[in-house]
Amino acid sequence: MPEQGFLASLFDVEFKSLITTKVIKVLYILSMIVIGLAALAFVGAAFANSVAGGLIVLLIVAPLMALLYLIYVRVLLEIVIAVFRIMETNTELVTLQRAHGGGGPGPGVAAPPPPPPPPPPPPSTPPQPQAGPPETQPPPPPAA
């Protein structure tokens, strides 16, 4: 499928083209800005209470909290990207399998188990003589 532009993808009501992978960088940058502004507001509030508390928040608490929130946002966004990459890879694999005529079960269907092996052949034994009357020789021809 050809790649659509951002606005075309945005208004695609059939969701054939996804925009998440296109806007993830913008979301991360916006998250960094919001976390930075929240840290500054927290430092400002701490300085409004007391200078000593403001210094502690400025040097220790705000940077640590901002770092933890940034890590949290990054991990969440990476999970989203990983899900989309898995989906794209699976789509490519299905396309390749169909192109090569690969039969097999459809998605979500387990493959049938292999057939059981044939039974082993019976053990070979030498032929046994049949029980019956002993062999006798024909009687000699009568003398003339």
Side-chain angles (χ1 to χ4, degrees):
M1 173 172 200
E3 189 69 23
Q4 294 182 347
F6 178 75
L7 286 177
S9 297
L10 186 62
F11 294 108
D12 176 23
V13 294
E14 295 178 4
F15 291 92
K16 290 184 179 179
S17 175
L18 304 173
I19 65 167
T20 305
T21 55
K22 297 173 185 173
V23 299
I24 202 86
K25 295 173 191 172
V26 175
L27 290 175
Y28 186 58
I29 291 170
L30 287 175
S31 299
M32 287 192 291
I33 292 170
V34 168
I35 290 170
L37 291 175
L40 284 177
F42 191 50
V43 168
F47 269 114
N49 262 349
S50 72
V51 174
L55 285 174
I56 290 173
V57 169
L58 175 67
L59 298 175
I60 299 172
V61 177
L64 183 63
M65 293 307 293
L67 180 67
L68 291 176
Y69 276 116
L70 193 60
I71 291 170
Y72 177 72
V73 168
R74 178 68 185 219
V75 168
L76 289 179
L77 292 176
E78 285 182 7
I79 289 171
V80 170
I81 286 296
V83 168
F84 277 86
R85 286 188 181 157
I86 290 170
M87 185 259 328
E88 289 172 353
T89 304
N90 283 344
T91 303
E92 290 174 11
L93 288 174
V94 168
T95 304
L96 287 173
Q97 185 178 18
R98 288 180 181 162
H100 289 292
V109 178
S124 62
T125 56
Q128 299 288 330
Q130 294 182 355
E135 290 186 29
T136 57
Q137 294 192 2

